[in-house]
Amino acid sequence: MKLLTRKTGIWIVVIGIAIFLFNFVTLTLWDIDIDILGAVIFVLGLVIAIACGKTMKHSSELLTRKNGVWLCIIAVATTMIFAYSSIPILNGDIGGGIGAIVFVLGIILIAVRWKY
């Protein structure tokens, strides 16, 4: 089973939309705001759905479109871990900035290596 497929990306988009819509319930009942989490998962699903099509080749090179998608996944995961951690330095601008830079690098790698 492949993890990086267009079908997986579509499912992640649907999960992101569901979390975003579930924000109304969590905000009303428990005063927990999860709309950013839903939006980030939605964007990650879009990246996977767009970049992981049938034209994606599996090569042994380091700088491939597949590795760019993995870089985006790692960026989102670390940003979410830092954002919800109790470490004051990392859950602010530093954690979000590092995650955003790594995510943008992943997007650049996907765009540059689109034909490979």
Side-chain angles (χ1 to χ4, degrees):
M1 180 177 124
K2 294 182 182 179
L3 291 176
L4 298 178
T5 61
R6 191 163 280 166
K7 185 177 180 180
T8 306
I10 292 171
W11 275 109
I12 293 174
V13 165
V14 169
I15 290 169
I17 291 172
I19 290 173
F20 188 78
L21 294 176
F22 190 65
N23 180 48
F24 176 72
V25 174
T26 60
L27 195 58
T28 305
L29 295 178
W30 301 294
D31 200 28
I32 299 173
D33 197 13
I34 59 169
D35 58 342
I36 300 298
L37 178 66
V40 167
I41 292 174
F42 174 78
V43 169
L44 182 64
L46 280 179
V47 168
I48 293 173
I50 291 170
C52 296
K54 293 182 180 184
T55 61
M56 186 169 71
K57 299 175 184 173
H58 302 284
S59 67
S60 61
E61 294 180 17
L62 184 63
L63 298 175
T64 60
R65 189 166 52 166
K66 179 181 176 184
N67 290 341
V69 173
W70 278 113
L71 198 60
C72 290
I73 292 171
I74 291 169
V76 167
T78 57
T79 303
M80 289 298 112
I81 290 170
F82 289 157
Y84 293 108
S85 72
S86 60
I87 304 170
I89 295 174
L90 293 178
N91 67 0
D93 294 334
I94 295 174
I98 292 171
I101 290 169
V102 173
F103 188 81
V104 168
L105 289 175
I107 295 292
I108 290 171
L109 182 60
I110 292 169
V112 168
R113 302 292 289 184
W114 187 258
K115 293 184 180 182
Y116 300 102

